[in-house]
Amino acid sequence: MRIFFILSALCVSALAWAAPFGHLENVAVKPSLFLADKLAKQQPITYCVELGAKEALDISRPEAALYTRAALKEWTYGIALQIETAGRGKEFSAVIPLLKNARFQQVACDLSAHPAGADYFAPSGAPRQADISILISKNYCETYFRKSTAFYMEDYKSAAPFICVIPRYAGLLPDTDRIAVHILNAEQKAVLAKRLPLLNRIAQEPYTPADQRHLWQLNRLYSYDGPTYFAAITHELGHAFGLADEYTANNADPLHQTSTPGQGIMRRLYDPIGCAETEGILTLLGRYGKGPRAFAGFCPNSAFYTDGVEQVAQITPVKRRLSKGVQTLWSLTPDTPKTHTLLYESWGPVAAMSMDLQMEWNFPPNAQVYVRGFSAQDGTKQGAWLIVYRQGNAYRAVRAVYQAGKVVRVQEQPVPAAQAEAYFERRNETARLPVLTDLND
């Protein structure tokens, strides 16, 4: 099962490296799981909100539902405002109506696919399987799943995607006794005084860029000890639409992510939905057949995208994984937007190589191996691959040719010792790259 969870705002900001924006890997595998699919098809997005029974909570169901609907609006109507505020409404005239006319429907939660759901919740009303469920419960989210933060889960048993929220966050509606109101400016005080009408307007009506700015001012004012409920739900809904975290490369699709750090709520929970999220939603819609095929990014010094893939001028590593003594590196190349293939490199023992290669060549069982070639988004190997193996101080190499993901020819390939050594030395070089390491395997 895949779990995507949030760290506290302070922990996230302390990370030395930031990952780029990206799509979740499962978008390529199970596209219908994500809210971007509903959005692209102009179908209503259904959601439900359920609070844990028999536990003291500092948030009510109506309050949680208000945050959820406001967050859904920010991922749709709010993205349209970001595009228009950037002066690019005409350029994206086909997408803006899709975003502004997104429809949402709250239903009662159907938790029948949650084996322990009845032990923790007492849903009211006629239950219905929602596209996304928001479950707020310390007992269920923390005790049953043993997680201490909010998280999104898309493949738990037969359940539809859901968000679990541990009740440890600040609301945007409670009293302001913990906010130093006396040091706020007039605009901030006005935002605090009218916070309920502001949230209702954003959740239920068209709103303005000023309303959007005030919403995130309000969120920041209540982020005194950590994230708010609104920020936590908004972040996790980003996953529900199909976006990966911006502070880790875990579960990010290496083809559909950028090489520059992202900015916004998918990175830090006290930041608003920003330019990286705008790019992410537009590229997601493109993958679902409703977005632009090619456009310049919205962030400063941002990339140009073709078919949802960043264009780069040189080989650019976007994802690195360490597992069981094996390091793998995926890189975009200048040709990637055309071919949708990634440069794949791997270092490790011969036993960790794919079985097709092990069966095609008699590699020494204790050799160390460097593998280099191009793979499609689904991992299918393409064209000629180079395999250099080292035993002691000696190097040998073979060239494997793939067609339709299958080895059709393997032959020995001459390789100068200096070149072979350089391939192996690259492992040390790549270890210093600002690409986050994925330790989950």
Side-chain angles (χ1 to χ4, degrees):
M1 86 184 61
R2 291 170 180 258
I3 299 178
F4 309 100
F5 58 91
I6 59 174
L7 306 177
S8 74
L10 295 177
C11 290
V12 172
S13 63
L15 290 172
W17 290 336
F21 98 79
H23 301 172
L24 290 173
E25 289 177 306
N26 244 5
V27 171
V29 181
K30 300 176 181 177
S32 62
L33 278 180
F34 298 94
L35 300 184
D37 180 59
K38 291 281 188 178
L39 184 60
K41 292 176 179 175
Q42 298 178 280
Q43 296 176 348
I45 292 173
T46 59
Y47 67 95
C48 74
V49 177
E50 192 56 65
L51 273 59
K54 301 177 182 178
E55 57 183 304
L57 298 173
D58 61 353
I59 186 172
S60 67
R61 184 181 283 106
E63 184 184 356
L66 180 62
Y67 298 150
T68 301
R69 191 169 181 105
L72 286 166
K73 284 283 295 295
E74 266 294 86
W75 278 113
T76 51
Y77 195 96
I79 294 291
L81 290 184
Q82 299 261 3
I83 295 170
E84 292 176 333
T85 302
R88 300 177 67 176
K90 185 175 180 180
E91 179 185 354
F92 296 93
S93 59
V95 176
I96 285 177
L98 190 72
L99 294 166
K100 284 194 170 182
N101 296 326
R103 293 172 293 158
F104 310 105
Q105 180 184 359
Q106 184 174 359
V107 299
C109 287
D110 177 3
L111 301 180
S112 58
H114 293 248
D119 297 334
Y120 297 96
F121 300 97
S124 59
R128 173 180 168 183
Q129 187 87 293
D131 297 320
I132 186 68
S133 302
I134 313 297
L135 308 179
I136 300 177
S137 167
K138 177 180 175 65
N139 294 339
Y140 189 58
C141 304
E142 188 173 72
T143 306
Y144 186 76
F145 288 100
R146 304 195 183 282
K147 297 292 179 183
S148 59
T149 57
F151 58 88
Y152 165 77
M153 191 175 291
E154 67 190 33
D155 55 2
Y156 174 67
K157 301 185 184 298
S158 60
F162 67 95
I163 292 167
C164 231
V165 182
I166 285 82
R168 51 173 291 190
Y169 302 105
L172 300 183
L173 295 177
D175 293 338
T176 60
D177 56 335
R178 299 188 66 182
I179 298 176
V181 177
H182 64 283
I183 68 171
L184 302 183
N185 59 37
E187 183 180 49
Q188 291 171 325
K189 290 178 181 178
V191 167
L192 275 179
K194 298 179 179 179
R195 58 193 182 276
L196 181 56
L198 171 66
L199 283 165
N200 279 324
R201 186 162 59 253
I202 287 174
Q204 301 292 345
E205 305 169 11
Y207 55 98
T208 67
D211 290 329
Q212 188 176 52
R213 186 179 72 254
H214 292 158
L215 171 67
W216 292 102
Q217 281 181 337
L218 178 65
N219 181 70
R220 193 68 182 91
L221 290 173
Y222 275 94
S223 300
Y224 34 75
D225 291 329
T228 66
Y229 278 110
F230 172 70
I233 292 170
T234 303
H235 175 99
E236 299 305 331
L237 281 173
H239 294 316
F241 275 96
L243 296 180
D245 288 314
E246 292 168 14
Y247 57 81
T248 174
N250 290 352
N251 302 307
D253 183 336
L255 183 62
H256 294 280
Q257 64 177 141
T258 59
S259 54
T260 53
Q263 312 246 343
I265 198 164
M266 298 309 291
R267 179 181 177 187
R268 287 186 292 249
L269 295 180
Y270 51 79
D271 281 347
I273 290 175
C275 57
E277 286 81 7
T278 298
E279 294 174 2
I281 291 294
L282 287 172
T283 51
L284 271 173
L285 286 174
R287 293 181 70 182
Y288 285 90
K290 292 295 184 178
R293 287 195 63 251
F295 69 95
F298 284 75
C299 296
N301 303 316
S302 192
F304 191 89
Y305 301 99
T306 301
D307 291 333
V309 180
E310 178 189 14
Q311 290 190 349
V312 296
Q314 59 187 3
I315 293 175
T316 305
V318 293
K319 188 166 185 177
R320 181 165 63 93
R321 175 176 289 156
L322 290 177
S323 176
K324 301 175 183 177
V326 179
Q327 174 173 293
T328 53
L329 187 70
W330 288 265
S331 302
L332 297 174
T333 72
D335 205 38
T336 291
K338 299 176 185 176
T339 64
H340 274 228
T341 57
L342 293 149
L343 175 62
Y344 172 95
E345 297 176 277
S346 178
W347 296 261
V350 69
M353 287 179 58
S354 58
M355 288 303 298
D356 55 1
L357 286 173
Q358 291 188 52
M359 294 173 65
E360 292 288 341
W361 196 263
N362 186 27
F363 294 100
N366 59 341
Q368 290 292 308
V369 180
Y370 167 77
V371 180
R372 178 188 182 95
F374 288 89
S375 67
Q377 182 180 4
D378 61 1
T380 303
K381 299 179 178 68
Q382 308 274 344
W385 280 53
L386 176 68
I387 303 97
V388 181
Y389 57 100
R390 179 177 63 193
Q391 193 172 24
N393 296 321
Y395 295 96
R396 296 183 71 179
V398 296
R399 182 175 182 267
V401 178
Y402 284 85
Q403 288 182 2
K406 295 183 179 180
V407 180
V408 295
R409 185 169 65 257
V410 179
Q411 61 188 49
E412 192 156 9
Q413 174 90 11
V415 59
Q419 180 65 62
E421 187 173 353
Y423 284 138
F424 280 90
E425 283 298 316
R426 269 180 49 74
R427 175 167 186 157
N428 297 328
E429 296 170 14
T430 60
R432 296 190 293 270
L433 287 172
V435 180
L436 291 183
T437 302
D438 179 3
L439 295 177
N440 296 330
D441 194 49

